[in-house]
Amino acid sequence: FHINVNKMSFNEPLIILSATDGCFGYLLTPMHFEYILLDCLTNSSNCKEWSESIHKTLNPISSDDFTIGLQIVDEDFSYWQKSLHVRYEYLKNSVIQPLDQIKAAYEKAIQECAMLQESLHNGITESWQQYKEEFMLTNHPHHNEN
């Protein structure tokens, strides 16, 4: 096998991220994956907690195995919490919450449709039983024997 290598130089702090599709493939959007990373970052005290929080969040979501690697370069954990807070708030308020509200409304509508479908089926079944009893019996008063 062959491993491709590419050397790069950066003048600003960065976080290097590598993730398999098991990390994000079962989420509604790629923005939800970014939000999870930032939410876990915001609610953690250090890199170890951040890592554990990401794992705890992704584990029940992923229907697959997942691997994620994050490497902070040239700054400490608190720098990234402060630097990415505006992005976190933007995603939460402008993207994630509105999409999650639409998804919840959609899922509620699906449930209501399923209940209506079941109600229709039950109504048809009950009506058919009543119809058979009332109109298909020969001794029914509405039955014309002419």
Side-chain angles (χ1 to χ4, degrees):
F1 62 89
H2 178 77
I3 298 176
N4 293 318
V5 176
N6 188 8
K7 292 183 180 183
M8 300 177 140
S9 295
F10 297 93
N11 294 326
E12 297 179 11
L14 66 120
I15 297 176
I16 300 170
L17 164 71
S18 178
T20 61
D21 64 346
C23 294
F24 52 83
Y26 301 96
L27 298 174
L28 187 60
T29 68
M31 294 85 72
H32 282 78
F33 178 58
E34 181 183 357
Y35 176 75
I36 286 171
L37 297 176
L38 295 178
D39 187 56
C40 292
L41 173 70
T42 298
N43 294 300
S44 298
S45 302
N46 56 50
C47 287
K48 184 177 184 206
E49 281 184 22
W50 187 27
S51 174
E52 291 169 355
S53 181
I54 291 169
H55 186 269
K56 285 179 189 174
T57 303
L58 292 178
N59 196 39
I61 296 169
S62 179
S63 295
D64 194 357
D65 58 346
F66 65 91
T67 303
I68 184 168
L70 291 163
Q71 178 65 50
I72 293 176
V73 180
D74 288 341
E75 284 298 337
D76 64 8
F77 184 79
S78 62
Y79 167 85
W80 289 107
Q81 280 184 313
K82 292 172 192 164
S83 297
L84 294 172
H85 187 73
V86 171
R87 176 71 179 169
Y88 169 72
E89 289 296 325
Y90 165 76
L91 276 176
K92 180 171 76 172
N93 298 321
S94 300
V95 178
I96 303 303
Q97 287 177 347
L99 287 177
D100 286 351
Q101 288 171 353
I102 294 168
K103 182 181 178 195
Y106 171 76
E107 289 172 351
K108 182 179 178 186
I110 295 273
Q111 289 174 347
E112 290 172 355
C113 285
M115 289 177 6
L116 286 170
Q117 185 177 25
E118 183 179 348
S119 181
L120 176 61
H121 175 75
N122 292 340
I124 290 170
T125 301
E126 290 170 13
S127 296
W128 175 241
Q129 290 299 337
Q130 186 177 6
Y131 177 83
K132 288 192 301 187
E133 291 172 10
E134 292 179 2
F135 294 103
M136 301 205 41
L137 297 175
T138 56
N139 61 355
H140 191 276
H142 291 98
H143 183 70
N144 188 354
E145 294 189 23
N146 293 335

